[in-house]
């Protein structure tokens, strides 16, 4: 007799990602600390990487890149620490996140805090960097396997699919970005291929959901920016695997990412009515990696137009990351990240 898999109900509604003022019918507990905060790790990593490339290209101080990566490392340690504390006090919360059609995908960002350590200190601690990178690879594989197992273990409704499903493939693509400079080309190419193929498989599924199912709730509209992330990371990964040379395939992936970004520009006017919440981290992480890819393109071609585009994206991604960081810190200080419904 075939047994059905029971899926735990989320502890809070899917759309309860807003950091607005708590209602009377809500309580505060670390149980409701949002796993979507892990997306901020990717945001700092992408913006810091963009500044790292911009420093020699534009003659800017490398200190800015170190500040973003250093602050991102502290952010990663703090958020992962809070999530571990949440899991310690509420052991069922991890399974609830994994079974959630959207939230579970953000767990793929957790091992990337280790990769930020590599980006910041690889030149000083070569042997330690190799060990950390291998641990991060293993952790990424385990978490992605857990997420993929959840996808295969239950039948999701079409409206439950979201752009957040691209995060596991994005995690796989960040492995080669840091692994190529360490001298692991074979493993890096394997992860790059896995990430690209997973993205290509999910893209038509996600596009079908966005076109033919009910629209995303306003709170989750920033998730749309995640459509940019996989092709952008594929472009960066291929460039780094080629020793900094941006070949035709990397340029093609960047072109597709820019095309998707341009397609969504008319929708930005709707964001003025979207309340601030943790999904806004999806905007800054997408813009940070897009700025990085544009910087690589400018470094490769030297075109004036490419330099203007790269500089504009760098400023936009920096402003977005700083603004969302300040808003998140304000929400954290007011306890708005620990909201949940009364049982």
């Amino acid at each position: 007799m075939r047994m059905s898999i029971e899926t735990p109900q989320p502890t809070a509604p899917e759309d309860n990602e807003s950091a607005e003022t708590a209602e009377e019918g809500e309580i505060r507990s670390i149980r409701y600390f949002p796993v979507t905060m892990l997306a901020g790790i990717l945001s700092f990593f992408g913006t810091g990487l963009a500044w790292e490339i911009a420093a020699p290209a534009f003659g800017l101080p490398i200190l800015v890149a170190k500040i973003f990566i250093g602050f991102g490392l502290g952010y990663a340690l703090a958020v992962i620490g809070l999530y571990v504390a949440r899991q310690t006090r509420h052991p069922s919360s991890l399974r609830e996140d994994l079974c959630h059609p959207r939230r579970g995908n953000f767990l793929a960002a957790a091992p990337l805090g280790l990769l930020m350590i590599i980006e910041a200190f690889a030149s000083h601690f070569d042997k330690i960097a190799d060990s950390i990178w291998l641990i991060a690879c293993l952790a990424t594989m385990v978490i992605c396997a857990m997420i993929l197992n959840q996808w295969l273990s239950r039948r999701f409704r079409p409206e439950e699919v979201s752009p957040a499903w691209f995060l596991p493939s994005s995690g796989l693509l960040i492995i080669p970005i840091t692994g190529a400079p360490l001298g692991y080309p074979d493993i890096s190419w394997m992860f790059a291929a896995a990430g690209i193929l997973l993205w290509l498989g999910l893209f038509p599924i996600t596009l079908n959901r966005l076109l033919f199912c009910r629209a995303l709730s306003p709170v989750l509209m920033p998730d749309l920016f995640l459509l940019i992330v996989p092709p952008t990371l594929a472009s960066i990964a291929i460039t780094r695997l080629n020793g900094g040379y941006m070949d035709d395939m990397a340029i093609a992936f960047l072109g597709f990412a820019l095309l998707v970004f341009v397609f969504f520009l008319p929708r930005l006017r709707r964001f003025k009515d979207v309340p601030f919440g943790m999904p806004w981290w999806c905007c800054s992480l997408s813009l940070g990696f897009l700025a990085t890819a544009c910087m690589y393109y400018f470094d490769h071609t030297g075109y004036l137009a490419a330099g203007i585009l790269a500089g504009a994206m760098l400023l936009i991604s920096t402003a977005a990351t700083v603004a969302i960081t300040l808003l998140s810190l304000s929400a954290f200080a007011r306890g708005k990240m620990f909201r949940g419904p009364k049982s």
Side-chain angles (χ1 to χ4, degrees):
M1 180 177 180
R2 184 177 178 179
M3 297 181 64
S4 61
I5 298 175
E6 295 294 332
T7 302
Q9 296 298 317
T11 57
E14 178 184 11
D15 296 350
N16 190 24
E17 297 275 1
S18 173
E20 298 298 314
T21 305
E23 303 290 338
E24 288 185 3
E26 293 173 337
I27 59 174
R28 295 176 183 176
S29 167
I30 196 172
R31 180 185 184 88
Y32 304 110
F33 180 73
V35 67
T36 47
M37 285 289 290
L38 293 170
I41 300 174
L42 294 172
S43 181
F44 286 108
F45 183 83
T47 306
L49 191 59
W51 274 97
E52 193 175 82
I53 305 168
F58 289 151
L60 300 173
I62 192 66
L63 178 63
V64 180
K66 298 299 182 183
I67 290 174
F68 271 104
I69 293 176
F71 195 89
L73 177 57
Y75 174 93
L77 294 174
V79 171
I80 293 174
L82 283 169
Y83 192 79
V84 170
R86 170 195 166 188
Q87 174 65 16
T88 302
R89 295 188 59 181
H90 304 280
S92 64
S93 60
L94 176 60
R95 177 166 176 76
E96 290 168 357
D97 283 337
L98 276 173
C99 291
H100 194 278
R102 175 178 175 272
R103 293 200 309 260
N105 299 288
F106 286 87
L107 291 170
L112 303 181
L114 295 174
L115 300 180
M116 296 193 72
I117 300 176
I118 298 173
E119 196 66 28
F121 305 111
S123 59
H124 304 288
F125 308 101
D126 294 340
K127 293 183 179 180
I128 297 178
D130 289 356
S131 300
I132 293 175
W133 186 79
L134 291 172
I135 292 172
C137 286
L138 181 60
T140 301
M141 288 178 61
V142 170
I143 292 177
C144 287
M146 292 169 64
I147 294 171
L148 289 173
N149 182 62
Q150 282 299 316
W151 291 353
L152 297 173
S153 297
R154 55 170 294 192
R155 293 294 179 263
F156 291 100
R157 297 188 303 272
E159 60 270 18
E160 290 181 315
V161 177
S162 80
W165 284 36
F166 291 132
L167 287 172
S169 64
S170 300
L172 294 172
L173 285 167
I174 289 179
I175 292 292
I177 292 176
T178 53
L182 293 177
Y184 292 98
D186 293 344
I187 299 177
S188 295
W189 275 113
M190 292 177 187
F191 273 96
I196 291 171
L197 291 174
L198 182 58
W199 162 59
L200 291 175
L202 289 173
F203 187 78
I205 298 173
T206 307
L207 195 61
N208 176 78
R209 181 260 180 270
L210 295 175
L211 292 177
F212 301 111
C213 298
R214 63 181 176 86
L216 292 173
S217 68
V219 173
L220 300 182
M221 279 186 63
D223 282 12
L224 291 173
F225 277 83
L226 294 175
L227 294 170
I228 304 170
V229 176
T232 305
L233 288 175
S235 177
I236 299 171
I238 292 172
T239 301
R240 283 210 159 187
L241 284 165
N242 288 331
Y245 174 74
M246 197 173 205
D247 63 13
D248 294 343
M249 184 60 69
I251 294 173
F253 280 125
L254 172 59
F256 181 77
L258 288 171
L259 188 64
V260 174
F261 178 68
V262 171
F263 280 168
F264 280 103
L265 285 179
R267 301 183 64 87
L268 292 181
R269 67 181 186 276
R270 302 186 181 184
F271 279 66
K272 66 179 186 298
D273 299 322
V274 177
F276 173 73
M278 297 309 102
W280 279 94
W281 280 110
C282 298
C283 299
S284 60
L285 78 88
S286 304
L287 294 171
F289 287 123
L290 186 58
T292 301
C294 289
M295 288 302 311
Y296 270 123
Y297 183 65
F298 171 61
D299 185 60
H300 172 68
T301 63
Y303 295 153
L304 176 61
I308 294 173
L309 174 64
M313 292 306 306
L314 181 66
L315 291 176
I316 293 172
S317 66
T318 302
T321 302
V322 171
I324 293 172
T325 300
L326 294 176
L327 289 169
S328 297
L329 289 173
S330 174
F332 180 84
R334 292 179 294 152
K336 305 305 180 187
M337 291 185 183
F338 305 96
R339 298 186 314 154
K342 285 185 178 180
S343 57

